[in-house]
Amino acid sequence: MGRITAGVWAIFLPWLAGAVLAQEPKIGTTEFAQGTVSAMAPEQPARSLRREDPVLNQDLVETGRQSYAIFEFDNHSRIAMREQTQARLVEESARNGNTHRIRLIRGGVRGEARRRDPYDLMVIDSPAGVVIVDEGEVSARWCSEDCGRGDASGPEPVAKVQMATAPVSALRDLGGGKGKGRELAPGDLVYERERIETGHDALAILVFRDDMRITLQGESRVDINAYRYFPETPKQNQVHISLREGRIRVKSGSVGHTTPELFLVETPVNRIRVRGTGFDLHCIGSCANVAANPVPGTQDAPASGLYTTVWDGEIVQQSAAGGFPLAAGQSSYVMSNDSAPIRIPRLPPRIVSGQAPRPDSIAVGMDTLFELNAARGGMPGLYVHVHTGKARVETRSGRTLEVTTGRTGYTDPSGNAPMTSGAMPGFMAGDGSCQ
C-alpha cells in the first residue's frame, strides 16, 4: 500500500477518534421502545433507540410525548421510562459490585433491581434526593412543577387496597379490557370500572374515599360500576357495585349515611339499598338455586343461593318479588331472582366458619390515606412508590426516609418535609411497568 497523504489523515483521524469514542462500554440493552426514544453518549451525536439496541455508559436517554422504553442492564436489573423523561444512565464499578445509577433530570422511571450479587445496587438520583434500591421494584417521579399538568385527563383513584393476600387482581373495563389484569398488593390504588378478583384462599380489603370498606373473601368477583364522592355537593354522590361471585363484607361510608338512595349493591338475584349499614353477602353457587344450577343443602355445605346478614344499620332487598327490609342481627336466604327472601335465624355454620374479618375492624388513617393524591396533580418534589421490596431515600437536606412495600415517600424540591403515605399518587398510576 502507498503512503497516506496528510490530507487523507486529516479526514481519517476525526473518524478514528469518533470510532474510539463510540466504544463506550455497553451496560444494557433496549428491551422495548415506543414512539421517540433517543440516546446520546458524551461527545457523540444523538441516536434513535429501537428494540435490542445497546445502551452505553453515560448515555443521556430521552423519551418524547406518548413514548415509552424499557431497558435491561447487564446484571438483569431493569428500568421503564415514562413519556417526556430525561435521564442519564451510568454504571459505576465498585470493589464489591456494580451500581446502576439513573440520574433523573425530568419525568419518571420504574426500576426493578434484581441482585445477582449482594453488593449490586440501583440508585435513582434526583435534584431533591437519592433513591437507593437493594432489591425490589420502585417508581420514582421528579416533579419540578405540578406533575398533573400533563395528566389532567387521567383517572382518579376511588379506593386503596388496605390488605391483600395473593392472588388479587384488577381487570379494566369490568373484565372486558385486554390482558390478564394487574396484580394488587397493599397500598395499590383501585379505579372506577374495574373488576376486583380474588383467588382461592385470597383476601382483600378495599377502603374507599368516603370510608366505605369492602372485604373480599377467596374466589370472589366484585365490579366497581360507578363511584362518585362529593362531600361538598352530596347530591352528586353515587356508589354502584356488583357482587358477581363469592362472598363480601360491606361497611358503607359517608355516601351510605348521607345519601343512601344513591348507594346500590347488585347481586345475581336482587338489589340492595342501604341505610347506614354493615352487612355480609354470600353468593353460593351462582347465587340461584334453580333447575339450571341446583345445589341441595347438606349438613356440611349450604344450598346455592344468596345468604345475607346485617350487623349494623338496615338494608332493603329489592327484586321481582318486592322489597324486604333486614335489620341488624337478622339474616335471610334468597333462592332465585323471582323469589322473596326467607328469614333464617342464623347463617349456616359452614359459611360462618373461617369468615374474613369485618372491614371496619382494620385500623385505617383516613386523614393520610390519600394525602399525596388529593388531586390528580402533585406538588413539586420527589415521589417514590415501592411496589415490592424497600427503598431508602437520602434527601438533599441530609434526611433519610425508609419506604416499604405498598407505600409512597415524598420530599419537597429542597429535600425537606419528608413523609410517607399508603397511597400511590394518581398521576403515577398510569406509568408502565418493567415487564
Side-chain angles (χ1 to χ4, degrees), residues 90-421:
V90 180
E91 181 177 87
E92 298 175 345
S93 298
R95 182 169 58 107
N96 294 324
N98 295 323
T99 295
H100 290 94
R101 187 177 292 271
I102 297 97
R103 292 177 176 155
L104 190 58
I105 299 168
R106 70 167 183 266
V109 298
R110 181 164 172 167
E112 182 182 28
R114 296 180 177 179
R115 291 193 303 178
R116 303 191 73 178
D117 183 289
Y119 296 98
D120 283 348
L121 294 173
M122 176 180 287
V123 176
I124 303 173
D125 277 344
S126 82
V130 178
V131 185
I132 301 170
V133 186
D134 292 324
E135 189 169 16
E137 190 166 356
V138 173
S139 290
R141 182 81 78 90
W142 163 242
C143 301
S144 56
E145 296 179 342
D146 181 350
C147 268
R149 289 188 179 180
D151 300 322
S153 61
E156 186 172 11
V158 300
K160 190 198 82 164
V161 181
Q162 183 70 14
M163 178 183 294
T165 58
V168 181
S169 60
L171 292 83
R172 293 183 300 174
D173 300 324
L174 304 180
K178 297 180 179 179
K180 298 180 180 179
R182 57 191 177 92
E183 293 186 2
L184 295 179
D188 285 346
L189 296 180
V190 175
Y191 298 85
E192 194 178 48
R193 303 283 302 168
E194 283 197 313
R195 172 171 290 171
I196 311 303
E197 295 187 347
T198 56
H200 184 66
D201 289 335
L203 168 71
I205 297 180
L206 308 182
V207 181
F208 289 74
R209 287 186 170 275
D210 71 325
D211 200 22
M212 177 177 77
R213 307 182 188 190
I214 300 177
T215 297
L216 286 81
Q217 301 191 186
E219 298 181 321
S220 298
R221 288 189 299 149
V222 170
D223 290 349
I224 304 172
N225 303 297
Y227 181 88
R228 303 280 193 277
Y229 175 49
F230 298 95
E232 303 300 325
T233 54
K235 289 185 179 181
Q236 299 182 58
N237 289 342
Q238 184 184 18
V239 171
H240 180 194
I241 63 174
S242 297
L243 172 64
R244 296 299 182 190
E245 181 182 9
R247 303 191 288 170
I248 61 174
R249 312 192 76 179
V250 180
K251 174 65 175 176
S252 63
S254 294
V255 176
H257 284 80
T258 60
T259 52
E261 70 279 6
L262 303 176
F263 190 112
L264 173 64
V265 178
E266 285 191 288
T267 77
V269 296
N270 62 12
R271 292 182 160 202
I272 294 172
R273 297 290 185 178
V274 307
R275 296 174 183 172
T277 312
F279 60 100
D280 302 336
L281 299 176
H282 305 270
C283 184
I284 306 301
S286 67
C287 264
N289 195 340
V290 294
N293 182 50
V295 179
T298 67
Q299 190 170 9
D300 295 325
S304 59
L306 178 69
Y307 294 81
T308 304
T309 190
V310 178
W311 36 269
D312 184 38
E314 182 179 294
I315 67 172
V316 176
Q317 302 176 82
Q318 299 173 331
S319 68
F324 299 86
L326 200 66
Q330 296 179 337
S331 301
S332 70
Y333 166 72
V334 179
M335 186 172 67
S336 64
N337 58 5
D338 58 358
S339 62
I342 301 171
R343 292 277 179 88
I344 56 177
R346 64 187 65 85
L347 294 179
R350 187 61 181 267
I351 289 180
V352 176
S353 64
Q355 191 165 233
R358 275 173 40 172
D360 59 338
S361 67
I362 305 301
V364 177
M366 288 303 297
D367 56 335
T368 61
L369 187 66
F370 292 98
E371 78 274 20
L372 293 184
N373 197 66
R376 288 178 181 151
M379 301 177 293
L382 173 65
Y383 295 80
V384 178
H385 181 80
V386 177
H387 304 275
T388 60
K390 61 181 179 179
R392 185 172 76 256
V393 182
E394 297 180 353
T395 74
R396 178 179 169 187
S397 63
R399 303 186 185 188
T400 299
L401 187 66
E402 298 284 344
V403 188
T404 55
T405 298
R407 299 195 65 80
T408 299
Y410 166 80
T411 182
D412 71 15
S414 299
N416 294 310
M419 61 184 292
T420 62
S421 164

Side-chain angles (χ1 to χ4, degrees), residues 37-41 44-49 53-56 59:
V37 183
S38 63
M40 185 168 63
Q44 289 294 304
R47 63 190 194 278
S48 296
L49 290 181
D53 283 349
V55 178
L56 308 180
D59 258 345

Side-chain angles (χ1 to χ4, degrees), residues 29-105:
T29 303
T30 306
E31 205 169 75
F32 178 83
Q34 172 184 292
T36 303
V37 183
S38 63
M40 185 168 63
E43 301 183 42
Q44 289 294 304
R47 63 190 194 278
S48 296
L49 290 181
R50 293 292 179 264
R51 188 172 181 272
E52 298 185 355
D53 283 349
V55 178
L56 308 180
N57 199 13
Q58 300 287 340
D59 258 345
L60 181 65
V61 180
E62 186 169 357
T63 55
R65 288 186 63 84
Q66 297 182 336
S67 302
Y68 178 72
I70 299 176
F71 305 106
E72 181 171 8
F73 293 110
D74 290 340
N75 72 343
H76 300 284
S77 295
R78 309 162 96 184
I79 64 165
M81 290 181 60
R82 72 179 307 275
E83 66 171 333
Q84 294 186 292
T85 291
Q86 187 181 59
R88 189 174 294 280
L89 308 184
V90 180
E91 181 177 87
E92 298 175 345
S93 298
R95 182 169 58 107
N96 294 324
N98 295 323
T99 295
H100 290 94
R101 187 177 292 271
I102 297 97
R103 292 177 176 155
L104 190 58
I105 299 168

